[in-house]
Amino acid sequence: MKRGVRLGVALGGGGARGLAHLGVLMELSRAGVRPEFVAGTSMGAIVGAAYAVGQDLAKLLRVLEHLELAKVFGVPETYDRVLGQTLAESLWERLRQKAWWEESSPRLSRLLEFLKLLTKGVWFEDLDVPFIAVAADLATGEEVKIDEGPVHRGVAASAALPGVFGPVQWRKRYLVDGGLLNNLPVDAVETLGARTVLAVDVAAPLGPLPKTLVGIALRAQEVTARELGRVKLDRARGRLGQRLLVIHPEVDEIGLLEFDRIEEAVEAGRVAARSALSFL
């Protein structure tokens, strides 16, 4: 790596597609490139945290390949099915006159347990590699850049996909998936001190028009998040110029919750990272 680069990586959200981040980081390591700063959103926060706490990513990959991650997280393999379950649960809660914050969420509990193991129970303040997880405040609509407290809790907040996981309480806030406001957190890794940024975008195209009213509501949210991301990325390019490189692993065909396609995602990440080595 070129001297004085102060490289940071911004790892975007995308569910199972974000497993490509493992391939990117392992390929960078193979080439002797070690990012000094990391910021992540959603799955990007999960993989970024594993890197920041010093996990051996090759060993981690071998473990993940033998886990059924959909069962670990307690979710079906398609977003449509999990939304159907969530709608049924919401109707039941309405009949019982119970709010979501009055009862624990089994899925969220499993996610927190998994992330605590993944991050070794460490706190942001103890990390050797500065790291930020990006989340969204459900009450105020604000973007929240988490860089203190237990790493696993901050990462869970960043990855709390609405309709799949309940909100995560953090400092009297209720936080959800940061992809709603900042799916590719270039600005977050800049605040840590990065002067050169490699951004890994694993967002998929919008796809066919939705067939249901629920699908239309979700599409409207997706369109808004995508436009926010475009504006933020344009501003980042204005600030960083040639010191920003965005790569796009070819993971468009991998579904949001298709965690069984981990090998495919990781290889796509490796291939994309190789294209970035001359930049670094």
Side-chain angles (χ1 to χ4, degrees), residues 84-128:
Q85 288 184 1
T86 302
L87 285 171
E89 291 166 3
S90 297
L91 288 171
W92 178 240
E93 288 167 358
R94 186 175 180 84
L95 288 171
R96 294 172 61 220
Q97 297 185 329
K98 287 278 188 180
W100 55 265
W101 59 79
E102 295 181 271
E103 297 182 312
S104 62
S105 164
R107 285 195 198 118
L108 181 57
S109 295
R110 283 192 288 265
L111 177 65
L112 284 164
E113 183 179 3
F114 170 80
L115 292 174
K116 191 169 185 178
L117 288 170
L118 179 73
T119 60
K120 307 177 182 180
V122 305
W123 286 42
F124 282 90
E125 292 87 342
D126 300 324
L127 295 172
D128 291 329

Side-chain angles (χ1 to χ4, degrees), residues 6 21 34 47 96 133 157 170 175 181 196 209 231 241 246 271 276:
R6 293 182 65 80
H21 299 314
R34 184 165 178 79
V47 176
R96 294 172 61 220
W170 183 82
L175 304 183
L181 297 175
T196 301
L209 285 173
V231 170
V246 183
V271 171

Side-chain angles (χ1 to χ4, degrees), residues 13-192:
R17 294 185 292 273
L19 293 167
H21 299 314
L22 281 169
V24 170
L25 291 171
M26 287 192 293
E27 193 65 22
L28 293 180
S29 177
R30 187 196 63 79
V33 176
R34 184 165 178 79
E36 298 178 57
F37 311 95
V38 183
T41 297
S42 199
M43 183 58 79
I46 293 176
V47 176
Y51 174 83
V53 302
Q55 286 282 5
D56 183 319
L57 298 184
K59 289 182 180 178
L60 175 61
L61 174 58
R62 289 196 291 272
V63 171
L64 294 179
E65 286 174 337
H66 289 88
L67 287 178
E68 294 185 60
L69 288 176
K71 289 185 178 179
V72 171
F73 298 145
V75 297
E77 293 184 355
T78 67
Y79 195 36
D80 287 347
R81 287 186 63 189
V82 77
L83 285 176
Q85 288 184 1
T86 302
L87 285 171
E89 291 166 3
S90 297
L91 288 171
W92 178 240
E93 288 167 358
R94 186 175 180 84
L95 288 171
R96 294 172 61 220
Q97 297 185 329
K98 287 278 188 180
W100 55 265
W101 59 79
E102 295 181 271
E103 297 182 312
S104 62
S105 164
R107 285 195 198 118
L108 181 57
S109 295
R110 283 192 288 265
L111 177 65
L112 284 164
E113 183 179 3
F114 170 80
L115 292 174
K116 191 169 185 178
L117 288 170
L118 179 73
T119 60
K120 307 177 182 180
V122 305
W123 286 42
F124 282 90
E125 292 87 342
D126 300 324
L127 295 172
D128 291 329
V129 177
F131 168 62
I132 283 176
V134 176
D137 188 311
L138 194 60
T140 67
E142 295 174 311
E143 179 183 337
V144 181
K145 294 180 174 71
I146 304 173
D147 62 356
E148 53 190 16
V151 174
H152 75 280
R153 197 157 194 90
V155 172
S158 180
L161 182 64
V164 179
F165 301 107
V168 174
Q169 191 170 7
W170 183 82
R171 286 192 162 191
K172 299 183 180 180
R173 294 175 181 251
Y174 285 105
L175 304 183
V176 294
D177 195 302
L180 296 173
L181 297 175
N182 192 357
N183 201 47
L184 192 61
V186 175
D187 56 344
V189 80
E190 285 183 83
T191 66
L192 291 173

Side-chain angles (χ1 to χ4, degrees), residues 184-231:
L184 192 61
V186 175
D187 56 344
V189 80
E190 285 183 83
T191 66
L192 291 173
R195 289 181 49 78
T196 301
V197 178
L198 174 64
V200 187
D201 185 357
V202 292
L206 288 175
L209 285 173
K211 296 180 180 179
T212 66
L213 293 177
V214 172
I216 291 170
L218 291 170
R219 174 60 61 84
Q221 173 184 296
E222 190 177 357
V223 167
T224 301
R226 187 175 292 258
E227 179 62 14
L228 277 172
R230 184 192 65 77
V231 170

